[in-house]
Amino acid sequence: MSSPVLESSSEQINVLIVIDTDYVTAHYQKPSKDPNNPTGIDHNSQFMICTDPRGGIVNQGTADLQFTALPGDLVSFAGVSIYDNSDDAVVVYGIKYWKGDSVFNQFVPNLVRRNGAAQPDTSTPNGLPVLNVPQNFTSFDSKVKQSGTENFYVQFGLYQLVNGESQNLFGYFYWDPSICVK
């Protein structure tokens, strides 16, 4: 007789944010340089993609993503520019309560270092076999504390490529998705 499989009561929910930095820089040419007072932007340059362990995702791939979580779930946000952060770069630095129920605990930045991350080998015609190189990955994480519906701000810094080498701050921005915790 086999033992019952125990299921964890919490799930990991990952949200990847891709920002069209060309759109942002063209439409918001004098953004805030103060991370405590970012510039609000419309919903035309952000694309959020979410894992779906709980079901109920609405507007996948848009700036108006809505997803479902349960208390105890870990929610991680990671951001990247449409250039994969190689030209312009995006750094998510804040998830702030806006209105509704306060469902998140404090968000914190986290770093994971993979010593053997896969990277294409540029010396071969197709990049294969890949090279395994050290690489850092960052996210902004929180554990869900309670049920409810929260509207929140996603805050990010946008860094523009200067002189082909450095990425300098262009400005700080935010917009407002939501989460439903059952």
Side-chain angles (χ1 to χ4, degrees):
M1 179 177 195
S2 64
S3 300
V5 176
L6 299 177
E7 293 185 21
S8 172
S9 63
S10 63
E11 294 282 353
Q12 171 77 37
I13 299 170
N14 297 298
V15 181
L16 176 63
I17 300 166
V18 179
I19 304 290
D20 178 350
T21 55
D22 288 340
Y23 180 92
V24 175
T25 57
H27 288 83
Y28 302 94
Q29 295 180 0
K30 295 192 183 275
S32 173
K33 305 283 193 208
D34 177 0
N36 297 311
N37 188 28
T39 300
I41 61 174
D42 63 30
H43 292 208
N44 295 319
S45 63
Q46 312 89 311
F47 307 91
M48 294 193 295
I49 303 164
C50 183
T51 57
D52 193 15
R54 300 288 184 201
I57 288 181
V58 177
N59 299 324
Q60 179 83 279
T62 72
D64 297 309
L65 174 73
Q66 297 174 12
F67 60 96
T68 300
L70 295 178
D73 286 349
L74 181 65
V75 178
S76 295
F77 287 86
V80 66
S81 73
I82 198 76
Y83 297 105
D84 194 24
N85 281 355
S86 68
D87 283 354
D88 293 345
V90 167
V91 175
V92 174
Y93 71 89
I95 306 294
K96 299 286 186 185
Y97 169 84
W98 173 42
K99 70 177 182 177
D101 304 304
S102 178
V103 303
F104 289 118
N105 285 300
Q106 181 71 37
F107 274 84
V108 295
N110 280 304
L111 172 81
V112 172
R113 180 168 179 81
R114 304 276 187 224
N115 288 323
Q119 181 178 6
D121 183 349
T122 58
S123 69
T124 67
N126 62 2
L128 299 176
V130 299
L131 302 174
N132 294 103
V133 299
Q135 188 167 345
N136 293 335
F137 300 91
T138 59
S139 60
F140 212 64
D141 308 337
S142 176
K143 190 172 268 195
V144 176
K145 68 179 173 184
Q146 67 181 20
S147 62
T149 299
E150 179 177 331
N151 294 290
F152 57 96
Y153 295 134
V154 175
Q155 300 173 316
F156 66 94
L158 191 158
Y159 299 82
Q160 272 189 316
L161 184 65
V162 178
N163 298 325
E165 288 293 327
S166 298
Q167 293 170 323
N168 294 341
L169 178 67
F170 177 76
Y172 295 105
F173 302 92
Y174 77 92
W175 85 99
D176 55 346
S178 65
I179 180 175
C180 178
V181 178
K182 295 182 177 186

